Amino acid sequence: MQETMTLTFRRPITAGKGENAKTYTELQLREPLAGDYEQAEKSGGKYGFVVALVAIVSGVPIDVVDELFSSEIDEAEDFFSGFADEAVLMPDVRSPDEFSLELQAPVKLTDDATALNATKLDLCEPTNLQRRKARQAGGPFASSIELISIVARVPRKTVRALSARDFHSATGYFNGFQIRRRPD
């Protein structure tokens, strides 16, 4: 799996006018962070989630990304989907009651030993109260960030800094509780 991708436009796109005009011929994508998903969820509005995510991750103005061909947006979406964990893609796998998620990309927000830094998340099956509190955070991504924060007892800022792979792994773990326990 590649961690970055250059999306070369099939045609140049110019934003701005006169001396402030800038022409774009490509953009650079990287693995999103959990906070990028949350921000795209909040700001997607008229442009849509994927267009907002491409703009956030690449740093290219959203109006430029909105001018891309749909096949180019699909290419970016395919790149992002490559970070989804197998746990997210395998809905019939039951999660264990407790799980220690070793982060593939440790979070280091400060130079000192604080709760903002993390190399693993200790997760367990959430209570109904925890799920209910998390749902109050907003959309699916904001709710997932809140749930991870509550259950793992880490600041939301730390969860927002999780790589897409680690965020999807934690989310997939929680999704595994939607499956009823089977006698076998």
Side-chain angles (χ1 to χ4, degrees):
M1 162 187 25
Q2 61 187 46
E3 293 186 17
T4 61
M5 178 186 134
T6 301
L7 179 63
T8 305
F9 303 168
R10 293 199 329 246
R11 62 173 168 70
I13 300 171
T14 302
K17 296 184 184 205
E19 293 177 14
N20 296 326
K22 183 172 180 182
T23 301
Y24 296 84
T25 59
E26 66 181 23
L27 56 80
Q28 303 293 318
L29 297 175
R30 59 163 170 78
E31 180 177 4
L33 301 176
D36 297 333
Y37 290 123
E38 181 184 38
Q39 189 179 351
E41 179 177 69
K42 289 179 183 175
S43 65
K46 72 178 184 178
Y47 298 100
F49 174 79
V50 175
V51 170
L53 185 61
V54 169
I56 290 163
V57 168
S58 69
V60 170
I62 198 164
D63 291 334
V64 171
V65 177
D66 197 36
E67 290 290 325
L68 292 174
F69 292 113
S70 11
S71 59
E72 293 169 316
I73 297 294
D74 291 345
E75 210 176 317
E77 187 171 23
D78 289 345
F79 170 73
F80 293 141
S81 69
F83 297 105
D85 186 85
E86 291 175 7
V88 174
L89 303 174
M90 297 174 22
D92 7 337
V93 176
R94 173 80 169 88
S95 292
D97 291 338
E98 295 179 353
F99 176 64
S100 185
L101 174 64
E102 295 293 329
L103 301 180
Q104 295 180 48
V107 175
K108 184 163 174 44
L109 297 176
T110 65
D111 289 332
D112 52 345
T114 70
L116 291 172
N117 301 323
T119 58
K120 69 177 182 159
L121 296 176
D122 292 322
L123 303 172
C124 63
E125 182 172 5
T127 65
N128 187 63
L129 176 62
Q130 290 170 324
R131 282 194 181 275
R132 200 165 41 81
K133 283 183 178 180
R135 279 193 295 271
Q136 294 172 0
F141 290 105
S143 295
S144 292
I145 287 170
E146 185 69 19
L147 186 61
I148 294 167
S149 173
I150 291 169
V151 172
R153 294 183 174 96
V154 296
R156 283 185 299 280
K157 186 174 185 175
T158 300
V159 179
R160 287 184 180 109
L162 289 175
S163 69
R165 290 169 287 169
D166 292 329
F167 178 67
H168 288 306
S169 292
T171 302
Y173 170 74
F174 289 132
N175 289 344
F177 292 109
Q178 303 305 314
I179 301 163
R180 284 196 248 189
R181 288 191 186 262
R182 299 181 184 129
D184 59 335

